[in-house]
Amino acid sequence: MRLIFVLFDSLNRLALGPYGGTIGTPNFDRFAERAVTFDRHYVGSLPCIPARRDIQTGRAGFFHRSWGPMEPYDRSFCESLRRKGVHTHLVTDHFHYFEPGGSGYHTQYDTWDFIRGQEYDPWKAMSEPPLEKFAETYDPRHYDPVKKRRRLRHLINREYERSEADLPMPRCYASAFEFLDANRGADNWMLQLELFDPHEPFHAPARFRRDGDSAYRGAMLNWPDYRRVSETEEEVAEIRANYAALIRMCDEYFGHLLDYMDERDMWRDTAIVLSTDHGFLLGEHGWWGKSRMPYYEEVVHVPLMVYHPDHAGAGGRRGNALTQTPDIMPTILDIFGCDAPAEVTGRSLLSHMPTLEAETDRIVAFGLFAGPVGVTDGRYVMFHYPPDVLGEGLHEYTLMPQHMVDPFTAEELRTAELSPPFDFTQKMPLLKIAATREAARPPNLGGSFEDQGFRLYDLDTDPGQTTPIRDPAVEARLYAGLRAYMAAHDTPAESYAWLGLEPGADSRASALNDE
């Protein structure tokens, strides 16, 4: 068996034709004709690197720590595949892997190729950049070289990308095809083709724009901050037009992979899993971005399409099972006949492929560390906010005290004490470090959650989430499901109190209270 795992970043489900999108995605549509399209797939941990930890380990990690490296006790699917004799190869332009807070991920793979130049990757050196030229081309609200200095790196990188072929996405596909050319005659390999696009900045060649998408004629607007919308309708349309152009580019290059599969008769022995880490708000509900705003469907309800040669007859069908990001890891292992480690809480998607029937009682949770928690059963979705979202009482449990870019501060580390193991840490004790308000973790880097509160939506009657409801019976069932989910993840005792929840009878907190 062979597998190609295609992972995009910030791919909004509603932009794709198979999910009702009207941007124009003929190749995503074409793949959906072969694959099973899952209609109720949700995120786990947010945002980028926490989601990738869920993917590698098969369990949600946001109850224990924020954005950070792989932990010594984490068991990646790469480890299991290696023991099975499966070669894993990563092609990625996701530069966060190569920051301190993303260490230990790409090295899980047997081989890997890093494509430079995305977002604010510190790639090209220019000690005296042409600031006047940049100011004429790029709107300072998105590209202020003083207030947004890291974005200046992006503009410098763009100076070295003189043709479409120089952009990271085409270079990623070129690297993937190099791997496939060398290995398509072999068996037992997995290629993870990971594209940073369509993550912001929304940059695509002009040929992907469409007449009528936007009438804006000002300086470049393609990198909105994660905040409430303050732009004019014309400016909002321009940012959306740039995202739409990037989606079309993603679609065209994904089509090249489908062409490769067609021309070489690879559908008979090669599986494809396609998904993303999270979506993105493009002005819906009055917000840009992800993380600090409510967990609306545009962010947490994401695309998932799966093709497996053994289930080729299911092509074009829809999967109604409630699934989430941690399910990808045991699915990858199942494709190669590997058992998942005991600590994995995700479920293989292959179990749904023959009949496409869904469980009727599954409830999953999602969120950011030290933030509100989202809960869904696939029909209802609830946002639970703690009594004081900026309150103290939480701790980071880690053996790798590193935030996204900066290490934990001396003030944070002075609070450290040794914590007993959790049920997934291979009997390793951990550092228990106070989660301070000022810690350099998302979303503290660009806002907070303090201006929002509880919401419950019925997605059957209100898919656009315009009218929150109250329903005591539904809320009680979702809260029971949340407690069970937290118990299954051996959630720290203080998390229940911080969230304003009573622990379930089988939770770690309840067990500790009984001692």
Side-chain angles (χ1 to χ4, degrees):
M1 178 57 68
R2 296 99 64 85
L3 167 66
I4 302 173
F5 174 31
V6 184
L7 182 65
F8 292 91
D9 194 302
S10 305
L11 185 63
N12 189 311
R13 175 179 57 95
L14 299 177
L16 307 183
Y19 291 98
T22 59
I23 288 173
T25 58
N27 292 298
F28 286 110
D29 301 352
R30 174 180 157 200
F31 181 56
E33 293 174 0
R34 285 189 178 271
V36 171
T37 299
F38 284 83
D39 283 321
R40 300 197 300 171
H41 185 62
Y42 282 80
V43 301
S45 304
L46 291 167
C48 303
I49 287 296
R52 284 159 177 79
R53 187 170 176 226
D54 285 9
I55 289 172
Q56 288 222 15
T57 64
R59 55 180 297 118
F62 69 93
F63 288 114
H64 296 86
R65 73 150 302 162
S66 60
W67 182 306
M70 284 282 280
E71 297 281 352
Y73 50 80
D74 285 339
R75 289 194 275 200
S76 166
F77 63 75
C78 296
E79 179 183 334
S80 296
L81 294 181
R82 189 175 298 114
R83 289 198 300 269
K84 189 75 171 181
V86 177
H87 185 101
T88 57
H89 182 67
L90 172 69
V91 173
T92 185
D93 58 350
H94 192 97
F95 78 101
H96 291 307
Y97 283 140
F98 300 87
E99 295 179 316
S103 62
Y105 290 86
H106 70 279
T107 52
Q108 300 293 327
Y109 300 82
D110 292 310
T111 49
W112 48 270
D113 190 10
F114 176 32
I115 307 301
R116 302 296 301 272
Q118 280 286 15
E119 201 184 34
Y120 54 82
D121 177 14
W123 180 35
K124 296 297 187 180
M126 189 179 289
S127 60
E128 295 184 357
L131 297 181
E132 292 185 5
K133 171 189 170 182
F134 292 162
E136 293 173 359
T137 307
Y138 299 92
D139 193 298
R141 288 173 291 177
H142 289 189
Y143 289 95
D144 186 318
V146 177
K147 295 180 180 179
K148 304 178 187 297
R149 184 157 184 81
R150 286 193 298 181
R151 297 189 184 187
L152 182 59
R153 295 180 188 167
H154 172 72
L155 302 186
I156 293 170
N157 291 342
R158 285 282 177 255
E159 292 292 291
Y160 292 84
E161 295 167 344
R162 297 179 176 90
S163 70
E164 184 174 318
D166 294 330
L167 296 175
M169 188 193 307
R171 290 160 55 212
C172 279
Y173 276 92
S175 177
F177 292 138
E178 179 183 343
F179 172 86
L180 292 174
D181 285 343
N183 295 280
R184 70 172 182 268
D187 198 6
N188 293 323
W189 52 254
M190 171 192 158
L191 166 64
Q192 182 167 325
L193 173 55
E194 182 169 338
L195 294 313
F196 193 71
D197 292 315
H199 192 289
E200 70 278 6
F202 309 137
H203 173 78
R207 70 184 184 89
F208 293 103
R209 296 271 298 205
R210 296 292 180 268
D211 291 340
D213 281 355
S214 169
Y216 176 81
R217 294 296 179 267
M220 178 66 73
L221 286 170
N222 67 358
W223 199 337
D225 292 328
Y226 298 172
R227 56 166 176 74
R228 295 186 186 274
V229 173
S230 61
E231 291 80 1
T232 66
E233 290 185 11
E234 186 180 67
E235 291 167 341
V236 169
E238 171 65 10
I239 297 170
R240 289 177 173 174
N242 284 319
Y243 183 81
L246 190 51
I247 288 289
R248 295 187 191 103
M249 185 178 182
C250 291
D251 179 78
E252 180 175 303
Y253 278 87
F254 178 58
H256 296 330
L257 176 62
L258 302 184
D259 293 341
Y260 191 101
M261 296 281 291
D262 289 343
E263 294 163 4
R264 293 158 179 82
D265 191 27
M266 291 179 65
W267 297 104
R268 59 185 173 80
D269 57 9
T270 306
I272 297 182
V273 176
L274 182 149
S275 194
T276 190
D277 50 0
H278 50 70
F280 196 88
L281 281 162
L282 292 156
E284 302 92 346
H285 312 284
W287 286 95
W288 295 114
K290 59 183 186 284
S291 297
R292 69 160 298 238
M293 62 289 301
Y295 301 139
Y296 288 115
E297 292 286 281
E298 290 85 352
V299 174
V300 300
H301 190 172
V302 294
L304 172 68
M305 290 185 273
V306 179
Y307 169 80
H308 192 290
D310 291 350
H311 304 289
R317 297 178 66 187
R318 316 292 294 205
N320 197 40
L322 177 61
T323 61
Q324 71 166 165
T325 300
D327 295 338
I328 291 174
M329 183 266 204
T331 301
I332 290 172
L333 294 183
D334 200 2
I335 287 172
F336 290 99
C338 295
D339 293 331
E343 69 271 13
V344 169
T345 59
R347 307 176 186 181
S348 172
L349 300 167
L350 296 192
S351 62
H352 301 294
M353 298 286 277
T355 64
L356 298 181
E357 294 180 357
E359 312 101 318
T360 59
D361 59 349
R362 191 179 191 189
I363 292 173
V364 299
F366 45 82
L368 274 79
F369 176 82
V373 178
V375 192
T376 188
D377 62 359
R379 172 178 176 177
Y380 296 96
V381 63
M382 181 175 72
F383 310 150
H384 172 80
Y385 281 75
D388 181 3
V389 77
L390 298 179
E392 298 179 350
L394 285 183
H395 296 85
E396 299 242 21
Y397 291 87
T398 180
L399 290 174
M400 302 288 288
Q402 171 69 48
H403 291 303
M404 179 178 178
V405 177
D406 300 313
F408 281 41
T409 64
E411 288 75 15
E412 290 176 276
L413 290 173
R414 288 188 193 108
T415 72
E417 56 184 282
L418 204 60
S419 166
F422 290 89
D423 64 8
F424 58 90
T425 65
Q426 300 191 56
K427 300 182 179 180
M428 298 181 199
L430 285 78
L431 291 175
K432 177 181 178 182
I433 304 170
T436 64
R437 294 185 186 183
E438 299 79 17
R441 61 173 184 265
N444 292 1
L445 301 174
S448 73
F449 303 102
E450 57 191 308
D451 55 350
Q452 300 132 48
F454 177 90
R455 293 287 189 277
L456 175 67
Y457 295 98
D458 182 344
L459 300 178
D460 280 3
T461 61
D462 182 24
Q465 295 177 292
T466 60
T467 309
I469 62 173
R470 296 304 302 258
D471 186 318
V474 170
E475 292 168 24
R477 182 167 54 82
L478 292 180
Y479 275 119
L482 172 58
R483 293 185 185 93
Y485 190 93
M486 293 173 69
H489 287 80
D490 201 12
T491 298
E494 76 265 13
S495 295
Y496 294 88
W498 187 83
L499 287 167
L501 299 174
E502 290 293 329
D506 57 347
S507 71
R508 177 184 178 94
S510 178
L512 291 174
N513 290 337
D514 289 342
E515 292 179 356

